[in-house]
Amino acid sequence: MFRLTRNYSIASLVGIALVAIALGFFYRTTAVRSLIEHETLSNVSTAQSLSNSLWPTYANFIAHAASLAPLELIHQPELADLQKDVLQNIRGLRVVKVKIYDMDGLTVYSTNSAQIGEKKDNNIGLQKARAGETVSEMVFRDNLSTTEQVITDRNLLTSYIPIRSSPGGPVEGVFEIYSDVTPLMVEIERTEYRVFAVVSFLLFLLYYFLLMIVRRADRIIRSHENAERRAQAEQIHYMAYHDPLTGLPNRALFKDRFQHAIAVAERTGKSLGVMFIDIDRFKVINDSLGHEGGDSVLIEAAKRIRTCLRASDTACRLGGDEFTVILEHLPSVEDAAQAAERLLKKFTEPMKIGGREIIVTTSIGIAVYPGATKDILRLLKFADVAMHRAKESGRNCHVFYTQEMETHAQENLEFELGLRHALQNGEFRLYYQPRVNTATASVTGAEALLRWQHPERGLVLPDKFIPLLEDTGLVIPVGEWALREACLQGRRWHDAGHNSLSVSVNLSMKQFRAGTLLSSVRETLKVSGLPPQFLELEITESVLVEDVEQALNLMNELKKIGVSLSIDDFGTGYSSLNYLRRFPIDLLKIDGSFIRDVTRNRGDAAITTTIAVMAKSLHLGLLAEGVETREQARFLKTIGCHAMQGYLFGEPVSADHLESLLGEVDVLKLAGFDHSPCVPGTGTPAPV
């Protein structure tokens, strides 16, 4: 984590040290450069003074010194006089050594006699001086011998100065003068230390002032960081324990609240209730309104649940359309029933979803401790079992858990496990209910209806297992099996001489949207050999509501294959005249709920007549389902509906049984135009 104060302190202290060192170095360099310039001028003056006093006397000697051997040169009498005159001239000055060179670089004279006779041709300073340039540099010697003393640990400045007899004349020799600048260098160092100290002090004052500002800023930043961390932690905690869609506690928080409620109930002996709430037909709602509409229903459902509870109750969303409520400190079982009634009544109020009003109902299961169960840890499971019993009882109601429900739930579980193996064990069967045309007095086809031949329960009707197929996802492979088997049977009928019969197969919503339907239909027709015009695919209205373009494209592709398309249970879903105009539909199937009372209920008769007129206007085929009586058949004939299906003409039977009846059925008699029906036993149709 970034710490402003710490990083500022480190950076500032390093910066202070660098600035102070840089300023000290800059001052020392500038001071030394100024010292060299000043002392060079002083040495030039000294050299000029020496030149004026010595050169006229010793110029010839210096000029001819190169012709003498070094040992001979040292013993020349002129050197003793020259030594005396030089010392006389530099007395009282900072000059500690003087050397005189001729133009060949020979040391003709030096206050240090040991250096007389040395050759310095390669000396850069000497070379520049012979060219007429004055050169100075700082030199440091641990031990410098002169004629008067031995100098140690001193700072010296040496200058090479050209000698001319007259201003502007040629260079005739070179003076090398050493000046002792140690006191000046000591003063420079002292001043450098003072500058370093003052600058450092000022920088530390600035650092301290800014440090106070930075510390305050750091505290503010840390405060904001801590606030953000707390907010993030709270957000993470909220997201971990709450449903993001409805804002209700989720499954994780429900477990905590439930464990706490259990502990309180066991300690105090007070009643505890759990309600398991499930929205009725939510799959249909979700498929019809789309996922956004389904989410809106869930959000509104959560709001309504909250408004019906006490402050001590806890509502949770476990997932999907499942909600739970923990009822703590229940005075009596009747209070749990009253809470459920409040919820059911609240849900009867219309919901406005996506610009339309819909009615949503719920099924509620309730388990109470102590009560029907003594196992408090299994309350939620028991409430779930009671909720499923509420759905089986017709939905939009509440049911309390009883011990008998556990046995029933166990049977359902075994039923579901058996269903998962039914396809691979070959337990599914197709039954066929004939379709007739009263105008031509003929059987035109049959609708394939799924049955399950359970090894223990016998023949199971689809209303008992189709919902389980939908929930488990088995509806797609089972639907493909049913499509293939129906097409194969249709081909067998054609081969047996009944080549005008068509076969109708229902498609589930999941099967329609699985993405494999088109290829499955093509492959099935190819394998079975059934001409595509004799295959009719039945879909419900809800399939067409969501993702209209996808549904339209798929139906157009199916029409290209040559199959027929019909709308099953027309009038019971979210009907829209728009899809009748846009979609390539061949047939409308009037739902049996309208046919049942068509001869006694004016409303049903009006609806049925309207559907018939609309189908005729749109050039659509029309078929009535659930025809049970001759009166119903006569009414349908009067409104122009001749295609019928129902117990009056035959109940769903096996393929072999239907084929045996095809040559015996007299459609006109069955339709009521004769007093002797061929198929006895009309009554309430079995679920299909």
Side-chain angles (χ1 to χ4, degrees), residues 578-615:
N578 181 51
Y579 72 71
L580 293 180
R581 178 180 58 84
R582 295 186 61 192
F583 288 94
I585 299 168
D586 298 293
L587 179 71
L588 297 182
K589 295 184 66 176
I590 305 175
D591 187 66
S593 61
F594 298 116
I595 305 300
R596 184 178 303 114
D597 296 322
V598 72
T599 59
R600 298 187 301 271
N601 187 298
R602 291 184 178 181
D604 288 345
I607 292 174
T608 304
T609 303
T610 301
I611 294 174
V613 173
M614 179 177 60

Side-chain angles (χ1 to χ4, degrees), residues 340-575:
E341 288 295 336
R342 287 196 302 270
L343 277 172
L344 293 172
K345 183 178 180 181
K346 188 68 175 178
F347 271 90
T348 59
E349 300 175 5
M351 288 186 184
K352 192 169 184 179
I353 306 296
R356 68 171 69 178
E357 286 190 349
I358 63 172
I359 301 295
V360 176
T361 61
T362 61
S363 298
I364 303 175
I366 307 173
V368 177
Y369 170 85
T373 174
K374 300 296 182 181
D375 191 343
I376 194 169
L377 294 177
R378 302 180 68 188
L379 270 180
L380 181 62
K381 177 187 175 183
F382 294 150
D384 186 21
V385 170
M387 183 273 294
H388 283 89
R389 176 57 62 89
K391 285 190 175 294
E392 294 173 1
S393 301
R395 301 182 175 89
N396 192 27
C397 63
H398 71 272
V399 172
F400 280 88
Y401 170 80
T402 61
Q403 188 62 45
E404 292 76 15
M405 293 180 185
E406 180 71 10
T407 303
H408 181 71
Q410 187 64 34
E411 291 176 355
N412 283 343
L413 177 60
E414 295 176 359
F415 189 70
E416 179 179 341
L417 293 175
L419 185 64
R420 293 182 179 274
H421 300 288
L423 182 60
Q424 65 187 39
N425 293 339
E427 297 173 4
F428 287 115
R429 303 285 186 271
L430 283 185
Y431 275 48
Y432 299 89
Q433 187 172 33
R435 289 182 176 182
V436 301
N437 188 316
T438 58
T440 61
S442 63
V443 177
T444 59
E447 180 180 359
L449 302 170
L450 187 64
R451 301 290 187 264
W452 178 17
Q453 189 64 46
H454 194 278
E456 297 176 0
R457 300 188 181 189
L459 193 65
V460 182
L461 297 178
D463 63 329
K464 299 293 185 181
F465 64 85
I466 288 295
L468 283 176
L469 286 179
E470 294 278 357
D471 292 339
T472 58
L474 293 171
V475 69
I476 294 177
V478 172
E480 291 178 348
W481 173 87
L483 176 63
R484 183 173 60 256
E485 185 63 27
C487 289
L488 289 171
Q489 182 58 53
R491 183 63 192 181
R492 294 189 196 102
W493 286 332
H494 282 209
D495 292 341
H498 308 290
N499 52 14
S500 63
L501 286 180
S502 65
V503 62
S504 175
V505 180
N506 290 278
L507 296 179
S508 71
M509 184 176 294
K510 287 187 176 181
Q511 192 177 1
F512 188 80
R513 294 177 180 166
T516 58
L517 178 62
L518 200 61
S519 60
S520 178
V521 171
R522 287 197 183 104
E523 181 65 22
T524 298
L525 290 173
K526 180 180 178 181
V527 171
S528 66
L530 180 69
Q533 64 269 27
F534 292 102
L535 172 62
E536 178 186 310
L537 300 177
E538 298 185 17
I539 57 178
T540 59
E541 294 173 278
S542 57
V543 172
L544 309 178
V545 176
E546 185 183 355
D547 202 347
V548 173
E549 294 303 321
Q550 181 183 2
L552 180 60
N553 292 335
L554 179 55
M555 293 176 72
N556 284 330
E557 292 297 322
L558 289 170
K559 288 298 295 180
K560 290 179 182 179
I561 296 175
V563 301
S564 300
L565 300 174
S566 64
I567 301 298
D568 194 18
D569 301 331
F570 182 76
T572 61
Y574 295 94
S575 303

Side-chain angles (χ1 to χ4, degrees), residues 55 103 130 162-173:
W55 205 254
M103 293 303 291
R130 287 189 300 185
I163 302 172
R164 295 179 175 88
S165 298
S166 59
V171 177
E172 299 178 3

Side-chain angles (χ1 to χ4, degrees), residues 248 275 277-280 282 285 296-309 315 321-323 325 339-352 357-364 396-397:
L248 292 178
M275 289 197 301
I277 305 167
D278 189 88
I279 297 177
D280 295 332
F282 183 72
I285 296 173
S296 299
V297 170
L298 293 174
I299 293 171
E300 180 61 25
K303 292 179 181 178
R304 296 188 179 192
I305 292 173
R306 276 194 293 254
T307 59
C308 296
L309 302 180
D321 60 326
E322 296 178 343
F323 298 87
V325 175
E341 288 295 336
R342 287 196 302 270
L343 277 172
L344 293 172
K345 183 178 180 181
K346 188 68 175 178
F347 271 90
T348 59
E349 300 175 5
M351 288 186 184
K352 192 169 184 179
E357 286 190 349
I358 63 172
I359 301 295
V360 176
T361 61
T362 61
S363 298
I364 303 175
N396 192 27
C397 63

Side-chain angles (χ1 to χ4, degrees), residues 75-88:
H75 295 91
Q76 293 299 313
E78 288 86 349
L79 285 179
D81 295 335
L82 183 57
Q83 174 81 345
K84 180 179 179 182
D85 291 339
V86 168
L87 294 177
Q88 181 67 29

Side-chain angles (χ1 to χ4, degrees), residues 131-338:
E133 181 181 354
T134 300
V135 180
S136 297
E137 61 180 352
M138 293 292 297
V139 296
F140 305 92
R141 297 287 186 272
D142 293 333
N143 191 300
L144 178 64
S145 299
T146 67
T147 56
E148 297 185 354
Q149 61 184 346
V150 175
I151 302 174
T152 59
D153 298 325
R154 309 295 287 178
N155 295 307
L156 305 176
L157 177 73
T158 178
S159 299
Y160 294 91
I161 305 165
I163 302 172
R164 295 179 175 88
S165 298
S166 59
V171 177
E172 299 178 3
V174 175
F175 274 115
E176 183 181 7
I177 299 177
Y178 288 80
S179 301
D180 184 6
V181 294
T182 301
L184 299 177
M185 288 299 297
V186 170
E187 185 60 29
I188 288 174
E189 290 176 355
R190 289 175 180 171
T191 305
E192 179 184 1
Y193 295 147
R194 286 195 293 269
V195 169
F196 181 84
V198 171
V199 169
S200 298
F201 177 73
L202 293 176
L203 289 176
F204 271 109
L205 286 180
L206 178 61
Y207 158 77
Y208 184 76
F209 173 74
L210 294 177
L211 180 62
M212 297 298 102
I213 299 175
V214 170
R215 280 184 175 177
R216 179 169 179 78
D218 196 16
R219 285 195 296 269
I220 294 173
I221 292 173
R222 289 187 183 184
S223 176
H224 283 299
E225 288 178 347
N226 292 335
E228 288 180 359
R229 282 196 297 271
R230 285 194 299 270
Q232 290 175 356
E234 291 173 358
Q235 181 67 18
I236 292 172
H237 183 272
Y238 182 85
M239 293 174 64
Y241 290 99
H242 289 80
D243 174 47
L245 180 64
T246 63
L248 292 178
N250 60 10
R251 186 181 295 271
L253 186 54
F254 170 79
K255 290 181 179 178
D256 290 343
R257 299 274 179 90
F258 190 50
Q259 291 294 333
H260 178 265
I262 287 174
V264 172
E266 290 180 331
R267 185 175 65 252
T268 62
K270 293 185 177 181
S271 296
L272 169 67
V274 174
M275 289 197 301
F276 203 109
I277 305 167
D278 189 88
I279 297 177
D280 295 332
R281 303 184 188 277
F282 183 72
K283 290 184 181 297
V284 176
I285 296 173
N286 207 35
D287 292 336
S288 302
L289 301 180
H291 293 297
E292 291 186 1
D295 289 346
S296 299
V297 170
L298 293 174
I299 293 171
E300 180 61 25
K303 292 179 181 178
R304 296 188 179 192
I305 292 173
R306 276 194 293 254
T307 59
C308 296
L309 302 180
R310 304 169 300 170
S312 60
D313 300 332
T314 301
C316 305
R317 182 191 177 205
L318 298 186
D321 60 326
E322 296 178 343
F323 298 87
T324 57
V325 175
I326 303 173
L327 303 169
E328 295 190 62
H329 311 296
L330 276 178
S332 64
V333 175
E334 287 73 20
D335 290 274
Q338 291 174 6

